[in-house]
Amino acid sequence: MENLTTLMGKYGVEGDKLLFKILNSGNFLQGIPATNIEHRTSNIESGNPDYKELTPYIAEKGLRYDLTVPFARFVVQHQNELIFPFKRYQIQPVWRADRPQKGRYREFFQCDVDVIGSNSLLNEIELVQIIDEVFSQLGMNILIRINNRKILAGVAEVIGYPLKLTEITVAIDKLEKNGIEKVNEELLHKGISAEAMERLRPLIRLEGKIKEKVDFLSEFLNASEIGMAGIEELLVIKNHLKDLDLKNKFDFDFRLARGLTYYTGTIIEVKAIDVPIGSVCGGGRYDDLTGIFGLTGVSGVGISFGADRIYDVLNELKLFPDNLESTTKLLFLNFGEEEEKFCLKLLTHCRKSGIASEIYPQNIKLNKQLEYANRKNIPYVVFIGKDEMTTGELKVKDMKTGIQQNMTFEELKNFLLL
Amino acid sequence: MENLTTLMGKYGVEGDKLLFKILNSGNFLQGIPATNIEHRTSNIESGNPDYKELTPYIAEKGLRYDLTVPFARFVVQHQNELIFPFKRYQIQPVWRADRPQKGRYREFFQCDVDVIGSNSLLNEIELVQIIDEVFSQLGMNILIRINNRKILAGVAEVIGYPLKLTEITVAIDKLEKNGIEKVNEELLHKGISAEAMERLRPLIRLEGKIKEKVDFLSEFLNASEIGMAGIEELLVIKNHLKDLDLKNKFDFDFRLARGLTYYTGTIIEVKAIDVPIGSVCGGGRYDDLTGIFGLTGVSGVGISFGADRIYDVLNELKLFPDNLESTTKLLFLNFGEEEEKFCLKLLTHCRKSGIASEIYPQNIKLNKQLEYANRKNIPYVVFIGKDEMTTGELKVKDMKTGIQQNMTFEELKNFLLL
């Protein structure tokens, strides 16, 4: 939860709409100026209620849209206690008032890594290394795409619309989803001339090796200082990464835009190659983010893993290990009160020895208890009745083979710890 | 986030007030019947706006108040996929629209453990074992208090108000916070006669050993079937626990009530002995919780650890290990572009070997880089300039002693892995 003043205006017009707002506690109608009420009411009667005008009066707090803006707020608030460059990771849920669909949730977990207080491109390189390592360990095939907002700014400049960077970025961002026709429509609608769009065309079609694409852009952006700076940053990153034996594919893509307005330099996006589900990780550099909260001149860069989409991909590709669903190794069957008491002590010993074990909580029919063990994939059960309590010879059954053998508790422990 | 219909009415009148409600997305004013608007508006003009009437129209969702009710909703929804008795743990934030103060937060983390689908008291016993184990490992002194709602129901019956169990429970729940005077006032206000309160008095003052208290109550509740059932449950739990060598103190307290209305049997509460901060863990048995969502006859029992309060206690008692704040073991100092490239490979090796290490991201003044290492408690830094790159003899400095020695990268790795 954050104050809405912290969140509003940081994610573009679309983002503001997708913020979940929390109704003020208690009598939220108190404190609304009468004129607002009257105005609003007459609008309701006319069928056109002005809810936007009312919102700030009845909702002061909102749910996190991402972890980056709250992080920037945190950094500014604690600037005197933090040691810069400040690195942190953070795993928390975020919310978006979106229409839920595959890969798009209203409540989902982000896992963020940021470095703030350093404009060195080494940070970008380390973040790409983290991405590479994480997805290698998960066994997911990915493509890491990278671009630079300065290149996009250069393009906007060169085609004659330096002030329409955001509009152009937002439109290009939808290229993959909506196709070139829709993007052109949007650009036209935003006031970009047909001639400028014609200049853009070869860029949008740009394919090939990184070197070829960079060469083409270097010529294209020749007259733009910011554009050339973007290309240089990109090359530094590329050269470092080339040396670091990444396990995953890495590409430069001019069309990568990422909608969030706060990025100013490098932008990074990761897609799962085998499952079409949108990006599973993304991020970039933001030079001005803490500036909005009063701390200027502090550059940061960060990435965010989308845990739920990654979960979906792992699930769809069956990449979760088989044994994840069997957690208990030994079930003590329950034959009554006295046996319970006896077993509870052994159970405690087992757990202390690191053997995940449980006792069936009730003395119900044996086949019901065995069915529970089967359904939960518990590999061993132990029968301890009056006889076993006396002799100390416990009956242990392997649920897979059905083979039953007698052993003492010490033997059982050693057997399961093997 | 949950539907408000799931949350409302589950936490008593007080709880409903403390639910954070989320404003519907888009035009939340659409769909409000005109009569409601008119009615509400005239009330606003009269200075008495009826916000409660408006709320259901503009807010359909709310934030989790605890994890138990959403868990019950989950169990009912997935009843055909789950294996009963179903055990789960869950760690998530919850929200309460309370006035924030020490130990009371509007957003905080609960860590829940529940068993659902078994009315065996073994589950209660295992939960107490978990509590005992957790706080022992954290090094916190605690008192585990236990009671049973059936005993409270018996008391209500015996003093002549069987139907006022909730009111009596809610009032007694505030005993510790508000004192006996206020509780009596509240009981009087709730319609409990002075005579009944007089009968209650010796109970409220009840002190001594568990056996003495139980003996007293057994006589007091003699005529109440439900009350005697509560005492029997309590004794079963006590007898089992006695055998299990708990490391923490355990007591029975009739005055323990716990406000949440859904408990029906055992109730458990844990206090930190050394820090007055309210309960750090609590829970109990609920026989009817899933019934509200359409799955009847399923009993459950669970506990919830308050992570933020536990954090506060550990902090106040300085129980966090000293070395928690130093995570990096080795800092590569940064002397320029070529050195960076050289170091980045070594850094990657270090990390793969399990040595937490970082590179200072910029080639700034050496004393600034060393200051960073000092402030972050990084024990070793390594100097790698042009000379070191050529000879392979790296300069390693111990930041505590100031002693500097030369070693190869292999030697450095072995040294840090010791």
Side-chain angles (χ1 to χ4, degrees), chain A residues 1-2 17 19-30 32 37-38 40-41 44-45 47-52 54-55 58-59 61 63-64 80-87 91-93 95 97 106-107 109 115 117-123 125-126 129 133 239-240 242-245 247 334 337 340-341 344-345 347-348 351-352 357-362 371-372 375-376, chain B residues 1-2 17 19-30 32 37-38 40-41 44-45 47-52 54-55 58-59 61 63-64 80-87 91-93 95 97 106-107 109 115 117-123 125-126 129 133 239-240 242-245 247 334 337 340-341 344-345 347-348 351-352 357-362 371-372 375-376:
Chain A
M1 193 183 285
E2 293 279 344
K17 279 188 207 154
L19 284 170
F20 274 116
K21 296 162 190 82
I22 296 163
L23 200 56
N24 292 343
S25 316
N27 187 347
F28 54 84
L29 290 176
Q30 235 161 22
I32 304 179
I37 298 277
E38 271 160 37
R40 204 183 48 69
T41 312
I44 289 172
E45 276 154 12
N48 182 26
D50 194 353
Y51 70 96
K52 282 180 202 162
L54 193 61
T55 308
I58 64 173
K61 289 181 283 289
L63 293 176
R64 285 184 298 274
N80 296 321
E81 302 136 50
L82 298 176
I83 303 159
F84 294 98
F86 177 62
K87 299 176 172 188
I91 300 179
Q92 267 186 303
W95 290 265
R106 284 194 294 207
E107 178 171 356
F109 272 82
V115 186
S118 160
N119 52 27
S120 161
L121 294 171
L122 273 191
N123 299 306
I125 289 153
E126 290 206 323
Q129 278 189 297
E133 188 63 26
N239 287 334
H240 264 110
K242 198 177 69 200
D243 277 4
L244 288 170
D245 296 325
K247 293 171 207 93
N334 192 325
E337 244 178 79
E340 245 175 49
K341 214 159 182 171
L344 213 49
K345 283 188 194 175
L347 175 64
T348 306
R351 286 176 176 164
K352 279 195 181 142
S357 34
E358 53 182 301
I359 181 169
Y360 196 88
Q362 269 139 311
E371 189 193 320
Y372 172 82
R375 291 190 63 196
K376 279 194 73 176
Chain B
M1 192 183 287
E2 291 279 344
K17 279 188 207 154
L19 284 171
F20 275 115
K21 295 159 191 84
I22 296 163
L23 200 56
N24 292 343
S25 316
N27 187 348
F28 54 84
L29 291 176
Q30 236 160 21
I32 304 179
I37 298 277
E38 272 159 37
R40 203 183 47 71
T41 312
I44 290 172
E45 277 153 11
N48 182 27
D50 194 352
Y51 71 96
K52 282 179 202 163
L54 193 60
T55 307
I58 65 174
K61 288 180 285 288
L63 292 176
R64 285 183 298 272
N80 296 321
E81 302 135 52
L82 298 176
I83 304 158
F84 294 98
F86 177 61
K87 297 178 172 186
I91 300 179
Q92 267 185 302
W95 290 264
R106 284 194 293 206
E107 179 172 356
F109 273 83
V115 187
S118 159
N119 52 27
S120 162
L121 294 170
L122 273 190
N123 299 306
I125 290 153
E126 290 207 322
Q129 279 189 297
E133 188 64 28
N239 288 334
H240 264 110
K242 200 177 68 201
D243 277 3
L244 288 170
D245 297 325
K247 294 170 207 94
N334 191 326
E337 246 178 77
E340 246 175 49
K341 213 158 184 173
L344 212 50
K345 282 188 194 175
L347 175 65
T348 306
R351 287 177 174 164
K352 280 195 181 144
S357 33
E358 51 182 303
I359 181 168
Y360 197 87
Q362 269 138 312
E371 190 192 320
Y372 173 82
R375 292 189 63 196
K376 280 194 73 175

Side-chain angles (χ1 to χ4, degrees), chain B residues 275-290:
Chain B
V275 179
I277 200 172
S279 66
V280 289
C281 178
R285 179 168 288 277
Y286 40 89
D287 279 338
D288 310 318
L289 192 60
T290 57

